[in-house]
């Protein structure tokens, strides 16, 4: 198991797609930079190959939404940066005669159905937390479709910005292509500037712009705007809208941080938790995760307790319809000292305990060892927090 086997699997999947008989894909993608970039790579490469496409942007893969998506019947379904953590549910719901392709890097399990292709480097002995973003997986798939898609490597670089530290593993392959093609240029030892999207900006800055557009602007057409910007280039209005949304988020963050400093952070034995109190209402729920990441570096938090934040989920999913229940979205992070304990096996990973806690109360979750998120019905959130605290102590 390794790189060559993974690349062979991508090639076989690309061949299967081309010979599937379908001419239009429904692309389901996550709502931050990696999700948008991976969706744009998939859409652009499919478009070049003569396929039509439609998109749905989700923060979480709600089982009722998955069921609704698949109720369309046999077709071509492409999941980018979402879905791989729920492969068993996908296998259960995918209609016969369809083809599902998942381009992802989150913790996962193997698919047993030959028409549900789980193209996740974790299954080939590579690390989705370190070696590959979903955008890099999507890029390597696009390259398997056609070597002419090498210009899409710049989007893989932007998507990989969410992985801390220098580029490693599959991400270095995308970086090499981007540098050789001239769509990216080095700026110092560890920074790179994107040259084929509009203003020549750092890949990290483009990552922030796209995440802000798609998540903060989730209910204002942001995901479609971000996708178009990736596929056709940024316009001045895109930069302006991102700056405006960024300021809205900054004000909300400051308000919530002040509230937590005044005693709004509640503590149990192994977790510390808070509600946004409606501060983020009207924004996509990805913002609570971004705030939890920021909170990791604040001195007033307990360094040995898992961080848990939650906010209400608005019922309308753009491009899909309404949810049938009232949900909350929970995001969890580990402070830096606790992160080391998790990675060294002394504390349980969030990718295990949050899904377990959510499932016990009728919800679901996914993510990585030190950063995970989940959804549960609003009236069950306090029970879930108590369960999570018990699991975190184990």
């Amino acid at each position: 198991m390794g790189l060559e086997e993974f690349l062979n699997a991508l090639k076989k999947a690309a061949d299967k797609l081309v010979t599937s008989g379908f001419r239009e894909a429904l692309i389901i993608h996550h709502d931050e930079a990696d999700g948008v970039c991976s969706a744009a790579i998939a859409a652009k490469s499919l478009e070049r190959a003569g396929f039509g496409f439609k998109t749905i942007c989700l923060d979480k893969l709600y089982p009722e939404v998955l069921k609704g998506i698949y109720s369309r019947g046999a077709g071509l379904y492409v999941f980018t940066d979402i879905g791989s953590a729920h492969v068993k549910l996908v296998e259960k719901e995918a209609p016969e005669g369809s083809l599902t392709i998942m381009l992802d890097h989150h913790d996962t399990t193997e698919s047993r159905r030959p028409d549900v292709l789980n193209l996740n480097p974790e299954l080939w002995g590579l690390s989705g937390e370190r070696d590959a973003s979903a955008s890099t997986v999507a890029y390597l798939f696009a390259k398997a479709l056609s070597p002419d898609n090498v210009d899409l490597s710049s989007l893989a670089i932007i998507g990989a910005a969410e992985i801390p530290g220098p580029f490693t593993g599959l991400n270095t392959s995308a970086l090499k292509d981007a540098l050789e093609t001239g769509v990216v240029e080095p700026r110092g030892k560890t920074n790179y500037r994107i040259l084929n999207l509009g203003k020549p900006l750092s890949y990290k800055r483009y990552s922030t712009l796209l995440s802000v557009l798609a998540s903060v602007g989730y209910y204002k057409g942001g995901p479609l705007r971000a996708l178009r910007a990736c596929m056709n280039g940024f316009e001045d209005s895109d930069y302006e809208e991102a700056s405006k949304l960024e300021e809205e988020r900054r004000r909300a963050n400051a308000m919530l941080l002040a509230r937590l400093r005044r005693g709004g952070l509640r503590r149990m034995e192994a977790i510390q938790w808070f509600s946004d109190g409606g501060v983020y209402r009207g924004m996509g729920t990805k913002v609570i995760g971004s705030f939890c990441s920021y909170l990791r570096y604040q001195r007033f938090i307990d360094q040995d307790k898992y961080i848990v934040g939650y906010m209400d989920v608005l019922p309308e999913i753009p491009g899909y319809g309404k949810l049938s229940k009232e949900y909350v979205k929970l995001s969890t992070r580990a402070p830096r000292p606790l992160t080391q304990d998790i990675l060294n096996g002394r504390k349980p990973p969030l990718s295990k305990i949050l899904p377990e806690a959510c499932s016990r109360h009728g919800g679901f979750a996914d993510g990585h060892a030190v950063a995970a998120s989940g959804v549960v019905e609003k009236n069950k959130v306090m029970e879930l927090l108590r369960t999570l605290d018990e699991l975190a102590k184990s």
Side-chain angles (χ1 to χ4, degrees), residues 60 85-86 107 332 349-368 371-375 384 387-388 391:
K60 303 300 294 179
H86 306 288
D107 290 359
T332 60
L350 284 164
S351 55
K352 299 297 182 188
I353 61 174
L354 186 63
E356 173 65 22
C358 286
S359 68
R360 289 188 191 182
H361 299 286
F364 62 95
D366 54 57
H368 301 292
S373 61
V375 171
L384 183 143
T387 299
L388 184 60
L391 292 170

Side-chain angles (χ1 to χ4, degrees), residues 72 128 185 214 220 228 246-248 358:
R72 300 162 187 241
E185 68 176 7
K220 302 172 184 175
R228 280 197 303 268
E246 205 167 17
E247 177 58 22
E248 285 180 25
C358 286

Side-chain angles (χ1 to χ4, degrees), residues 253-267 273-277 280 288 291-292 294-295 298 300-301 307-309:
N253 285 348
M255 193 181 304
L256 183 54
L257 188 63
R259 186 180 298 168
L260 297 188
R261 286 185 188 280
R262 292 195 302 267
L265 187 64
R266 309 297 176 85
R267 291 171 170 87
W273 63 271
F274 65 94
S275 162
D276 84 312
Y280 294 125
I288 194 74
F291 182 79
C292 285
Y294 170 68
L295 204 57
Q298 302 305 305
F300 68 90
I301 66 163
I307 299 167
V308 185

Side-chain angles (χ1 to χ4, degrees), residues 8 31 34 47 71 122 144 159 259 262 270 281 294 309 318 326 331 339 381 384:
N8 287 336
D31 70 334
D34 196 23
E47 189 176 61
S71 69
E122 295 260 334
R259 186 180 298 168
R262 292 195 302 267
R281 186 168 180 80
Y294 170 68
E326 285 191 318
S331 285
T339 291
V381 67
L384 183 143

Side-chain angles (χ1 to χ4, degrees), residues 63-348:
E64 65 175 275
V65 174
L66 182 66
K67 190 184 287 284
I69 285 170
Y70 274 140
S71 69
R72 300 162 187 241
L76 175 58
Y77 300 89
V78 180
F79 292 80
T80 71
D81 198 33
I82 199 168
S84 202
H86 306 288
V87 64
K88 298 306 175 193
L89 184 63
V90 171
E91 286 183 296
K92 179 186 171 187
E93 297 294 348
E96 293 296 328
S98 62
L99 177 62
T100 295
I101 295 174
M102 289 185 281
L103 306 169
D104 202 350
H105 69 135
H106 294 92
D107 290 359
T108 191
T109 54
E110 276 189 68
S111 167
R112 302 297 180 186
R113 279 181 60 168
D115 56 354
V116 175
L117 307 181
N118 186 13
L119 301 170
N120 187 318
E122 295 260 334
L123 298 173
W124 280 265
L126 301 160
S127 169
E129 294 187 41
R130 184 183 66 248
D131 297 329
S133 65
S135 298
T136 290
V137 175
Y139 167 66
L140 294 173
F141 179 75
K143 206 173 155 189
L145 270 176
S146 170
D148 293 341
N149 289 321
V150 70
D151 61 313
L152 302 178
S153 54
S154 60
L155 295 175
I157 302 312
I158 296 169
E162 74 170 31
I163 297 177
F167 284 73
T168 62
L170 297 174
N171 291 332
T172 59
S173 174
L175 179 61
K176 181 173 177 286
D177 286 352
L179 291 169
E180 288 179 356
T181 310
V183 293
V184 166
E185 68 176 7
R187 303 293 288 180
K189 285 187 178 180
T190 59
N191 198 10
Y192 303 94
R193 198 158 69 171
I194 305 297
L195 301 179
N196 65 339
L197 282 187
K199 295 177 182 178
L201 300 174
S202 157
Y203 76 106
K204 292 181 178 178
R205 180 58 185 157
Y206 267 117
S207 173
T208 298
L209 292 173
L210 289 169
S211 288
V212 167
L213 282 173
S215 61
V216 183
Y218 184 72
Y219 297 103
K220 302 172 184 175
L224 280 174
R225 182 192 277 266
L227 192 68
R228 280 197 303 268
C230 284
M231 294 181 69
N232 305 321
F234 272 70
E235 298 179 359
D236 288 344
S237 60
D238 297 323
Y239 296 111
E240 290 163 8
E241 179 67 9
S243 294
K244 178 181 146 195
L245 292 169
E246 205 167 17
E247 177 58 22
E248 285 180 25
R249 184 179 65 175
R250 188 198 66 75
R251 288 198 300 268
N253 285 348
M255 193 181 304
L256 183 54
L257 188 63
R259 186 180 298 168
L260 297 188
R261 286 185 188 280
R262 292 195 302 267
L265 187 64
R266 309 297 176 85
R267 291 171 170 87
M268 294 182 178
E269 287 186 58
I271 69 171
Q272 49 198 324
W273 63 271
F274 65 94
S275 162
D276 84 312
V279 161
Y280 294 125
R281 186 168 180 80
M283 300 181 192
T285 56
K286 179 67 182 175
V287 294
I288 194 74
S290 299
F291 182 79
C292 285
S293 293
Y294 170 68
L295 204 57
R296 294 176 68 230
Y297 302 98
Q298 302 305 305
R299 291 183 178 179
F300 68 90
I301 66 163
D302 290 353
Q303 296 298 308
D304 60 345
K305 288 182 169 68
Y306 298 85
I307 299 167
V308 185
Y310 69 88
M311 65 181 283
D312 290 348
V313 176
L314 294 182
E316 186 72 30
I317 292 182
Y320 172 77
K322 285 197 170 183
L323 295 166
S324 65
K325 300 174 182 176
E326 285 191 318
Y327 294 104
V328 298
K329 156 80 179 291
L330 301 102
S331 285
T332 60
R333 297 292 187 273
R336 283 179 290 180
L338 182 54
T339 291
Q340 288 307 311
D341 286 340
I342 292 170
L343 297 179
N344 292 330
R346 291 190 292 268
K347 293 287 186 178

